[in-house]
Amino acid sequence: KQEVTQIPAALSVPEGENLVLNCSFTDSAIYNLQWFRQDPGKGLTSLLLIQSSQREQTSGRLNASLDKSSGRSTLYIAASQPGDSATYLCAVTPNGQNFVFGPGTRLSVLP
Amino acid sequence: SQTIHQWPATLVQPVGSPLSLECTVEGTSNPNLYWYRQAAGRGLQLLFYSVGIGQISSEVPQNLSASRPQDRQFILSSKKLLLSDSGFYLCAWKDRGNYGYTFGSGTRLTVV
């Protein structure tokens, strides 16, 4: 059974810092991996989707990498801003249909 | 462009009352549809998914049921709510291709 973990559970950084969020999954046979952002009391917003054949994806200040063989993905946020404060979740799917989610990393960027 | 609508945004219901949450998708056809629940301090739990009209798969046996009466409509129901049904319910859709999820804005359900 696929299990997804995220480290750290919570992170607080001053504005302007570069930071890395980590996601690990137990079964490397994934179809793709998706990173989401969730603001308090809101739905999930998709940030990046990495296909199993890809190594990384970039969108603005965000860069996500995927290492299937080691069961890891990282989300890199450059020059963090207070508006980046949210919970970040990663999710993997073995078949392109149902995703398994990690518990999330709660990020606070202090002005 | 595709959009997903979920309502109501918040709901307070007494124990034992029925529940009906609705989710609709626009701008796509034959999507996969999903219901997730996010309990306080816990991760997202897949409740139901559907690959077509009338086709429902249940991931967790519980007090809830789901139906898909139309291609782009997904309904989550309960005949009698329990206190443990409280949580944040999220609907999502996905194209049949190799794409990711798109989520609705969620429904905050409080059972009192």
Side-chain angles (χ1 to χ4, degrees):
Chain A
K1 178 185 174 184
Q2 178 74 272
E3 292 185 3
V4 181
T5 55
Q6 290 187 246
I7 294 174
L11 181 64
S12 185
V13 300
E15 181 177 5
E17 274 203 7
N18 302 324
L19 56 98
V20 174
L21 307 181
N22 297 291
C23 172
S24 298
F25 44 95
T26 54
D27 187 346
S28 62
I30 64 168
Y31 197 65
N32 54 37
L33 181 146
Q34 194 167 2
W35 280 95
F36 296 88
R37 167 190 173 133
Q38 185 176 29
D39 293 292
K42 304 294 185 182
L44 277 66
T45 300
S46 178
L47 297 174
L48 291 164
L49 174 70
I50 308 178
Q51 313 289 359
S52 60
S53 58
Q54 298 174 322
R55 300 281 296 181
E56 65 177 349
Q57 282 285 335
T58 298
S59 175
R61 294 182 294 107
L62 305 179
N63 175 277
S65 67
L66 173 64
D67 184 344
K68 273 184 57 178
S69 61
S70 66
R72 294 179 184 177
S73 175
T74 61
L75 179 66
Y76 176 82
I77 303 177
S80 58
Q81 303 171 357
D84 295 329
S85 298
T87 297
Y88 290 80
L89 299 104
C90 72
V92 297
T93 176
N95 54 16
Q97 292 215 20
N98 304 339
F99 279 76
V100 177
F101 284 81
T105 293
R106 190 171 65 254
L107 172 66
S108 296
V109 181
L110 307 174
Chain B
S1 64
Q2 301 93 348
T3 56
I4 180 169
H5 302 280
Q6 192 179 339
W7 68 93
T10 60
L11 193 59
V12 180
Q13 292 283 101
V15 168
S17 63
L19 173 74
S20 180
L21 303 181
E22 188 163 343
C23 173
T24 59
V25 181
E26 297 177 358
T28 186
S29 60
N30 203 25
N32 287 355
L33 296 171
Y34 305 84
W35 279 110
Y36 279 86
R37 177 169 61 198
Q38 189 175 38
R42 299 177 64 180
L44 279 156
Q45 180 186 38
L46 177 63
L47 302 175
F48 301 95
Y49 69 94
S50 172
V51 298
I53 296 175
Q55 301 179 58
I56 308 295
S57 296
S58 174
E59 290 292 304
V60 181
Q62 59 208 326
N63 186 40
L64 302 170
S65 62
S67 62
R68 185 171 177 173
Q70 301 180 42
D71 181 46
R72 289 168 288 180
Q73 183 185 30
F74 205 24
I75 298 172
L76 182 68
S77 304
S78 174
K79 293 182 179 178
K80 290 185 178 181
L81 284 169
L82 306 171
L83 286 174
S84 58
D85 292 324
S86 294
F88 191 49
Y89 289 82
L90 289 155
C91 179
W93 74 274
K94 180 184 170 305
D95 269 332
R96 297 307 174 92
N98 192 15
Y99 305 112
Y101 277 167
T102 299
F103 279 86
S105 54
T107 295
R108 173 74 58 191
L109 171 66
T110 303
V111 182
V112 296

PDB file of all heavy atoms in Angstrom, chain A residues 57-89:
ATOM      1  N   GLN A  57       9.818  19.959 -12.850  1.00  0.00           N
ATOM      2  CA  GLN A  57       8.920  20.922 -13.471  1.00  0.00           C
ATOM      3  C   GLN A  57       9.121  22.256 -12.767  1.00  0.00           C
ATOM      4  O   GLN A  57       9.397  22.294 -11.562  1.00  0.00           O
ATOM      5  CB  GLN A  57       7.455  20.488 -13.314  1.00  0.00           C
ATOM      6  CG  GLN A  57       6.998  19.410 -14.262  1.00  0.00           C
ATOM      7  CD  GLN A  57       6.780  19.932 -15.669  1.00  0.00           C
ATOM      8  OE1 GLN A  57       6.527  21.111 -15.882  1.00  0.00           O
ATOM      9  NE2 GLN A  57       6.906  19.047 -16.642  1.00  0.00           N
ATOM     10  N   THR A  58       8.957  23.334 -13.549  1.00  0.00           N
ATOM     11  CA  THR A  58       9.169  24.667 -12.987  1.00  0.00           C
ATOM     12  C   THR A  58       7.989  25.559 -13.331  1.00  0.00           C
ATOM     13  O   THR A  58       7.435  25.482 -14.436  1.00  0.00           O
ATOM     14  CB  THR A  58      10.460  25.293 -13.547  1.00  0.00           C
ATOM     15  OG1 THR A  58      11.565  24.478 -13.151  1.00  0.00           O
ATOM     16  CG2 THR A  58      10.658  26.695 -13.017  1.00  0.00           C
ATOM     17  N   SER A  59       7.620  26.403 -12.354  1.00  0.00           N
ATOM     18  CA  SER A  59       6.594  27.408 -12.590  1.00  0.00           C
ATOM     19  C   SER A  59       6.940  28.616 -11.735  1.00  0.00           C
ATOM     20  O   SER A  59       6.799  28.588 -10.509  1.00  0.00           O
ATOM     21  CB  SER A  59       5.213  26.869 -12.210  1.00  0.00           C
ATOM     22  OG  SER A  59       4.233  27.880 -12.335  1.00  0.00           O
ATOM     23  N   GLY A  60       7.418  29.667 -12.385  1.00  0.00           N
ATOM     24  CA  GLY A  60       7.778  30.872 -11.646  1.00  0.00           C
ATOM     25  C   GLY A  60       8.868  30.604 -10.627  1.00  0.00           C
ATOM     26  O   GLY A  60       9.946  30.108 -10.963  1.00  0.00           O
ATOM     27  N   ARG A  61       8.593  30.906  -9.359  1.00  0.00           N
ATOM     28  CA  ARG A  61       9.574  30.697  -8.299  1.00  0.00           C
ATOM     29  C   ARG A  61       9.569  29.270  -7.756  1.00  0.00           C
ATOM     30  O   ARG A  61      10.300  28.965  -6.803  1.00  0.00           O
ATOM     31  CB  ARG A  61       9.289  31.674  -7.156  1.00  0.00           C
ATOM     32  CG  ARG A  61       9.512  33.136  -7.525  1.00  0.00           C
ATOM     33  CD  ARG A  61       9.273  34.086  -6.339  1.00  0.00           C
ATOM     34  NE  ARG A  61       7.879  34.099  -5.917  1.00  0.00           N
ATOM     35  CZ  ARG A  61       7.431  33.525  -4.803  1.00  0.00           C
ATOM     36  NH1 ARG A  61       8.258  32.892  -3.980  1.00  0.00           N
ATOM     37  NH2 ARG A  61       6.148  33.593  -4.482  1.00  0.00           N
ATOM     38  N   LEU A  62       8.742  28.415  -8.318  1.00  0.00           N
ATOM     39  CA  LEU A  62       8.618  27.046  -7.834  1.00  0.00           C
ATOM     40  C   LEU A  62       9.333  26.074  -8.770  1.00  0.00           C
ATOM     41  O   LEU A  62       9.231  26.211  -9.994  1.00  0.00           O
ATOM     42  CB  LEU A  62       7.145  26.641  -7.730  1.00  0.00           C
ATOM     43  CG  LEU A  62       6.229  27.529  -6.896  1.00  0.00           C
ATOM     44  CD1 LEU A  62       4.808  26.976  -6.927  1.00  0.00           C
ATOM     45  CD2 LEU A  62       6.723  27.637  -5.478  1.00  0.00           C
ATOM     46  N   ASN A  63      10.009  25.114  -8.157  1.00  0.00           N
ATOM     47  CA  ASN A  63      10.635  24.044  -8.919  1.00  0.00           C
ATOM     48  C   ASN A  63      10.420  22.744  -8.167  1.00  0.00           C
ATOM     49  O   ASN A  63      10.747  22.644  -6.982  1.00  0.00           O
ATOM     50  CB  ASN A  63      12.129  24.310  -9.119  1.00  0.00           C
ATOM     51  CG  ASN A  63      12.844  23.162  -9.806  1.00  0.00           C
ATOM     52  OD1 ASN A  63      13.234  22.179  -9.174  1.00  0.00           O
ATOM     53  ND2 ASN A  63      12.994  23.261 -11.116  1.00  0.00           N
ATOM     54  N   ALA A  64       9.857  21.759  -8.844  1.00  0.00           N
ATOM     55  CA  ALA A  64       9.646  20.460  -8.225  1.00  0.00           C
ATOM     56  C   ALA A  64      10.489  19.420  -8.945  1.00  0.00           C
ATOM     57  O   ALA A  64      10.536  19.404 -10.171  1.00  0.00           O
ATOM     58  CB  ALA A  64       8.175  20.069  -8.272  1.00  0.00           C
ATOM     59  N   SER A  65      11.149  18.585  -8.178  1.00  0.00           N
ATOM     60  CA  SER A  65      11.958  17.514  -8.748  1.00  0.00           C
ATOM     61  C   SER A  65      11.378  16.171  -8.340  1.00  0.00           C
ATOM     62  O   SER A  65      10.666  16.063  -7.338  1.00  0.00           O
ATOM     63  CB  SER A  65      13.406  17.624  -8.272  1.00  0.00           C
ATOM     64  OG  SER A  65      13.476  17.378  -6.884  1.00  0.00           O
ATOM     65  N   LEU A  66      11.687  15.168  -9.143  1.00  0.00           N
ATOM     66  CA  LEU A  66      11.194  13.823  -8.875  1.00  0.00           C
ATOM     67  C   LEU A  66      12.320  12.816  -9.069  1.00  0.00           C
ATOM     68  O   LEU A  66      12.974  12.804 -10.120  1.00  0.00           O
ATOM     69  CB  LEU A  66      10.029  13.476  -9.800  1.00  0.00           C
ATOM     70  CG  LEU A  66       9.511  12.037  -9.738  1.00  0.00           C
ATOM     71  CD1 LEU A  66       8.940  11.729  -8.363  1.00  0.00           C
ATOM     72  CD2 LEU A  66       8.478  11.797 -10.829  1.00  0.00           C
ATOM     73  N   ASP A  67      12.545  11.990  -8.047  1.00  0.00           N
ATOM     74  CA  ASP A  67      13.479  10.872  -8.136  1.00  0.00           C
ATOM     75  C   ASP A  67      12.687   9.614  -7.806  1.00  0.00           C
ATOM     76  O   ASP A  67      12.524   9.254  -6.635  1.00  0.00           O
ATOM     77  CB  ASP A  67      14.648  11.071  -7.160  1.00  0.00           C
ATOM     78  CG  ASP A  67      15.695   9.971  -7.301  1.00  0.00           C
ATOM     79  OD1 ASP A  67      15.401   8.926  -7.910  1.00  0.00           O
ATOM     80  OD2 ASP A  67      16.809  10.150  -6.779  1.00  0.00           O
ATOM     81  N   LYS A  68      12.172   8.968  -8.858  1.00  0.00           N
ATOM     82  CA  LYS A  68      11.310   7.806  -8.642  1.00  0.00           C
ATOM     83  C   LYS A  68      12.029   6.671  -7.924  1.00  0.00           C
ATOM     84  O   LYS A  68      11.477   6.030  -7.043  1.00  0.00           O
ATOM     85  CB  LYS A  68      10.800   7.301  -9.987  1.00  0.00           C
ATOM     86  CG  LYS A  68       9.549   7.960 -10.470  1.00  0.00           C
ATOM     87  CD  LYS A  68       9.072   7.336 -11.763  1.00  0.00           C
ATOM     88  CE  LYS A  68       8.840   5.851 -11.638  1.00  0.00           C
ATOM     89  NZ  LYS A  68       8.331   5.242 -12.862  1.00  0.00           N
ATOM     90  N   SER A  69      13.274   6.429  -8.317  1.00  0.00           N
ATOM     91  CA  SER A  69      13.987   5.267  -7.775  1.00  0.00           C
ATOM     92  C   SER A  69      14.168   5.360  -6.270  1.00  0.00           C
ATOM     93  O   SER A  69      14.143   4.335  -5.571  1.00  0.00           O
ATOM     94  CB  SER A  69      15.338   5.113  -8.468  1.00  0.00           C
ATOM     95  OG  SER A  69      16.130   6.268  -8.247  1.00  0.00           O
ATOM     96  N   SER A  70      14.325   6.570  -5.769  1.00  0.00           N
ATOM     97  CA  SER A  70      14.502   6.733  -4.323  1.00  0.00           C
ATOM     98  C   SER A  70      13.193   7.094  -3.626  1.00  0.00           C
ATOM     99  O   SER A  70      13.157   7.236  -2.410  1.00  0.00           O
ATOM    100  CB  SER A  70      15.549   7.808  -4.020  1.00  0.00           C
ATOM    101  OG  SER A  70      15.085   9.077  -4.441  1.00  0.00           O
ATOM    102  N   GLY A  71      12.130   7.259  -4.396  1.00  0.00           N
ATOM    103  CA  GLY A  71      10.828   7.562  -3.807  1.00  0.00           C
ATOM    104  C   GLY A  71      10.763   8.937  -3.183  1.00  0.00           C
ATOM    105  O   GLY A  71      10.200   9.106  -2.098  1.00  0.00           O
ATOM    106  N   ARG A  72      11.321   9.937  -3.879  1.00  0.00           N
ATOM    107  CA  ARG A  72      11.377  11.282  -3.303  1.00  0.00           C
ATOM    108  C   ARG A  72      11.037  12.365  -4.323  1.00  0.00           C
ATOM    109  O   ARG A  72      11.340  12.229  -5.508  1.00  0.00           O
ATOM    110  CB  ARG A  72      12.765  11.573  -2.743  1.00  0.00           C
ATOM    111  CG  ARG A  72      13.149  10.721  -1.556  1.00  0.00           C
ATOM    112  CD  ARG A  72      14.544  11.060  -1.078  1.00  0.00           C
ATOM    113  NE  ARG A  72      14.946  10.181   0.014  1.00  0.00           N
ATOM    114  CZ  ARG A  72      16.136  10.203   0.590  1.00  0.00           C
ATOM    115  NH1 ARG A  72      17.041  11.056   0.184  1.00  0.00           N
ATOM    116  NH2 ARG A  72      16.408   9.370   1.582  1.00  0.00           N
ATOM    117  N   SER A  73      10.445  13.411  -3.786  1.00  0.00           N
ATOM    118  CA  SER A  73      10.234  14.630  -4.558  1.00  0.00           C
ATOM    119  C   SER A  73      10.512  15.814  -3.648  1.00  0.00           C
ATOM    120  O   SER A  73      10.278  15.743  -2.440  1.00  0.00           O
ATOM    121  CB  SER A  73       8.802  14.704  -5.081  1.00  0.00           C
ATOM    122  OG  SER A  73       8.561  15.941  -5.735  1.00  0.00           O
ATOM    123  N   THR A  74      11.021  16.869  -4.228  1.00  0.00           N
ATOM    124  CA  THR A  74      11.226  18.100  -3.466  1.00  0.00           C
ATOM    125  C   THR A  74      10.549  19.255  -4.181  1.00  0.00           C
ATOM    126  O   THR A  74      10.486  19.291  -5.413  1.00  0.00           O
ATOM    127  CB  THR A  74      12.721  18.426  -3.294  1.00  0.00           C
ATOM    128  OG1 THR A  74      13.311  18.606  -4.578  1.00  0.00           O
ATOM    129  CG2 THR A  74      13.446  17.323  -2.546  1.00  0.00           C
ATOM    130  N   LEU A  75      10.030  20.174  -3.386  1.00  0.00           N
ATOM    131  CA  LEU A  75       9.474  21.419  -3.910  1.00  0.00           C
ATOM    132  C   LEU A  75      10.360  22.540  -3.405  1.00  0.00           C
ATOM    133  O   LEU A  75      10.477  22.757  -2.198  1.00  0.00           O
ATOM    134  CB  LEU A  75       8.033  21.626  -3.446  1.00  0.00           C
ATOM    135  CG  LEU A  75       7.369  22.931  -3.924  1.00  0.00           C
ATOM    136  CD1 LEU A  75       7.194  22.918  -5.443  1.00  0.00           C
ATOM    137  CD2 LEU A  75       6.029  23.140  -3.236  1.00  0.00           C
ATOM    138  N   TYR A  76      10.977  23.234  -4.350  1.00  0.00           N
ATOM    139  CA  TYR A  76      11.872  24.333  -4.037  1.00  0.00           C
ATOM    140  C   TYR A  76      11.137  25.649  -4.283  1.00  0.00           C
ATOM    141  O   TYR A  76      10.573  25.857  -5.361  1.00  0.00           O
ATOM    142  CB  TYR A  76      13.120  24.234  -4.918  1.00  0.00           C
ATOM    143  CG  TYR A  76      14.101  25.370  -4.779  1.00  0.00           C
ATOM    144  CD1 TYR A  76      15.031  25.387  -3.751  1.00  0.00           C
ATOM    145  CD2 TYR A  76      14.115  26.420  -5.701  1.00  0.00           C
ATOM    146  CE1 TYR A  76      15.940  26.424  -3.634  1.00  0.00           C
ATOM    147  CE2 TYR A  76      15.021  27.452  -5.589  1.00  0.00           C
ATOM    148  CZ  TYR A  76      15.942  27.451  -4.552  1.00  0.00           C
ATOM    149  OH  TYR A  76      16.845  28.482  -4.430  1.00  0.00           O
ATOM    150  N   ILE A  77      11.128  26.506  -3.266  1.00  0.00           N
ATOM    151  CA  ILE A  77      10.510  27.824  -3.394  1.00  0.00           C
ATOM    152  C   ILE A  77      11.609  28.867  -3.257  1.00  0.00           C
ATOM    153  O   ILE A  77      12.287  28.950  -2.217  1.00  0.00           O
ATOM    154  CB  ILE A  77       9.422  28.057  -2.321  1.00  0.00           C
ATOM    155  CG1 ILE A  77       8.348  26.970  -2.409  1.00  0.00           C
ATOM    156  CG2 ILE A  77       8.787  29.437  -2.497  1.00  0.00           C
ATOM    157  CD1 ILE A  77       7.269  27.083  -1.343  1.00  0.00           C
ATOM    158  N   ALA A  78      11.781  29.651  -4.288  1.00  0.00           N
ATOM    159  CA  ALA A  78      12.821  30.677  -4.283  1.00  0.00           C
ATOM    160  C   ALA A  78      12.266  32.004  -3.782  1.00  0.00           C
ATOM    161  O   ALA A  78      11.113  32.346  -4.031  1.00  0.00           O
ATOM    162  CB  ALA A  78      13.385  30.855  -5.688  1.00  0.00           C
ATOM    163  N   ALA A  79      13.109  32.727  -3.065  1.00  0.00           N
ATOM    164  CA  ALA A  79      12.772  34.080  -2.597  1.00  0.00           C
ATOM    165  C   ALA A  79      11.373  34.129  -1.999  1.00  0.00           C
ATOM    166  O   ALA A  79      10.481  34.822  -2.506  1.00  0.00           O
ATOM    167  CB  ALA A  79      12.891  35.071  -3.756  1.00  0.00           C
ATOM    168  N   SER A  80      11.179  33.407  -0.918  1.00  0.00           N
ATOM    169  CA  SER A  80       9.843  33.245  -0.335  1.00  0.00           C
ATOM    170  C   SER A  80       9.216  34.591   0.046  1.00  0.00           C
ATOM    171  O   SER A  80       9.915  35.550   0.424  1.00  0.00           O
ATOM    172  CB  SER A  80       9.916  32.326   0.883  1.00  0.00           C
ATOM    173  OG  SER A  80      10.809  32.855   1.840  1.00  0.00           O
ATOM    174  N   GLN A  81       7.886  34.631  -0.036  1.00  0.00           N
ATOM    175  CA  GLN A  81       7.102  35.826   0.279  1.00  0.00           C
ATOM    176  C   GLN A  81       6.008  35.473   1.276  1.00  0.00           C
ATOM    177  O   GLN A  81       5.581  34.322   1.340  1.00  0.00           O
ATOM    178  CB  GLN A  81       6.462  36.362  -1.007  1.00  0.00           C
ATOM    179  CG  GLN A  81       7.450  36.672  -2.109  1.00  0.00           C
ATOM    180  CD  GLN A  81       6.754  36.987  -3.426  1.00  0.00           C
ATOM    181  OE1 GLN A  81       5.529  36.928  -3.546  1.00  0.00           O
ATOM    182  NE2 GLN A  81       7.538  37.321  -4.443  1.00  0.00           N
ATOM    183  N   PRO A  82       5.530  36.452   2.038  1.00  0.00           N
ATOM    184  CA  PRO A  82       4.436  36.157   2.988  1.00  0.00           C
ATOM    185  C   PRO A  82       3.228  35.514   2.316  1.00  0.00           C
ATOM    186  O   PRO A  82       2.545  34.687   2.916  1.00  0.00           O
ATOM    187  CB  PRO A  82       4.103  37.540   3.560  1.00  0.00           C
ATOM    188  CG  PRO A  82       5.405  38.280   3.502  1.00  0.00           C
ATOM    189  CD  PRO A  82       6.053  37.813   2.217  1.00  0.00           C
ATOM    190  N   GLY A  83       2.979  35.847   1.068  1.00  0.00           N
ATOM    191  CA  GLY A  83       1.865  35.254   0.334  1.00  0.00           C
ATOM    192  C   GLY A  83       2.039  33.784   0.037  1.00  0.00           C
ATOM    193  O   GLY A  83       1.093  33.112  -0.384  1.00  0.00           O
ATOM    194  N   ASP A  84       3.243  33.264   0.255  1.00  0.00           N
ATOM    195  CA  ASP A  84       3.489  31.835   0.067  1.00  0.00           C
ATOM    196  C   ASP A  84       3.022  31.021   1.269  1.00  0.00           C
ATOM    197  O   ASP A  84       3.012  29.793   1.224  1.00  0.00           O
ATOM    198  CB  ASP A  84       4.977  31.561  -0.162  1.00  0.00           C
ATOM    199  CG  ASP A  84       5.498  32.168  -1.458  1.00  0.00           C
ATOM    200  OD1 ASP A  84       4.712  32.274  -2.426  1.00  0.00           O
ATOM    201  OD2 ASP A  84       6.690  32.539  -1.507  1.00  0.00           O
ATOM    202  N   SER A  85       2.656  31.679   2.350  1.00  0.00           N
ATOM    203  CA  SER A  85       2.216  30.978   3.559  1.00  0.00           C
ATOM    204  C   SER A  85       0.959  30.175   3.261  1.00  0.00           C
ATOM    205  O   SER A  85      -0.056  30.717   2.810  1.00  0.00           O
ATOM    206  CB  SER A  85       1.943  31.991   4.685  1.00  0.00           C
ATOM    207  OG  SER A  85       3.115  32.690   5.026  1.00  0.00           O
ATOM    208  N   ALA A  86       1.051  28.877   3.505  1.00  0.00           N
ATOM    209  CA  ALA A  86      -0.042  27.948   3.207  1.00  0.00           C
ATOM    210  C   ALA A  86       0.428  26.555   3.594  1.00  0.00           C
ATOM    211  O   ALA A  86       1.560  26.377   4.037  1.00  0.00           O
ATOM    212  CB  ALA A  86      -0.401  27.986   1.725  1.00  0.00           C
ATOM    213  N   THR A  87      -0.451  25.576   3.407  1.00  0.00           N
ATOM    214  CA  THR A  87      -0.049  24.173   3.559  1.00  0.00           C
ATOM    215  C   THR A  87       0.210  23.604   2.176  1.00  0.00           C
ATOM    216  O   THR A  87      -0.596  23.796   1.261  1.00  0.00           O
ATOM    217  CB  THR A  87      -1.137  23.359   4.279  1.00  0.00           C
ATOM    218  OG1 THR A  87      -1.296  23.878   5.605  1.00  0.00           O
ATOM    219  CG2 THR A  87      -0.756  21.892   4.359  1.00  0.00           C
ATOM    220  N   TYR A  88       1.336  22.916   2.044  1.00  0.00           N
ATOM    221  CA  TYR A  88       1.729  22.346   0.765  1.00  0.00           C
ATOM    222  C   TYR A  88       1.612  20.831   0.847  1.00  0.00           C
ATOM    223  O   TYR A  88       2.159  20.206   1.765  1.00  0.00           O
ATOM    224  CB  TYR A  88       3.155  22.771   0.405  1.00  0.00           C
ATOM    225  CG  TYR A  88       3.238  24.241   0.072  1.00  0.00           C
ATOM    226  CD1 TYR A  88       3.292  25.198   1.082  1.00  0.00           C
ATOM    227  CD2 TYR A  88       3.217  24.680  -1.251  1.00  0.00           C
ATOM    228  CE1 TYR A  88       3.321  26.559   0.785  1.00  0.00           C
ATOM    229  CE2 TYR A  88       3.260  26.023  -1.561  1.00  0.00           C
ATOM    230  CZ  TYR A  88       3.310  26.956  -0.532  1.00  0.00           C
ATOM    231  OH  TYR A  88       3.333  28.300  -0.837  1.00  0.00           O
ATOM    232  N   LEU A  89       0.879  20.257  -0.094  1.00  0.00           N
ATOM    233  CA  LEU A  89       0.660  18.814  -0.106  1.00  0.00           C
ATOM    234  C   LEU A  89       1.201  18.210  -1.387  1.00  0.00           C
ATOM    235  O   LEU A  89       1.089  18.804  -2.459  1.00  0.00           O
ATOM    236  CB  LEU A  89      -0.835  18.489  -0.007  1.00  0.00           C
ATOM    237  CG  LEU A  89      -1.564  18.967   1.242  1.00  0.00           C
ATOM    238  CD1 LEU A  89      -2.416  20.185   0.925  1.00  0.00           C
ATOM    239  CD2 LEU A  89      -2.447  17.873   1.805  1.00  0.00           C
TER     240      LEU A  89
END
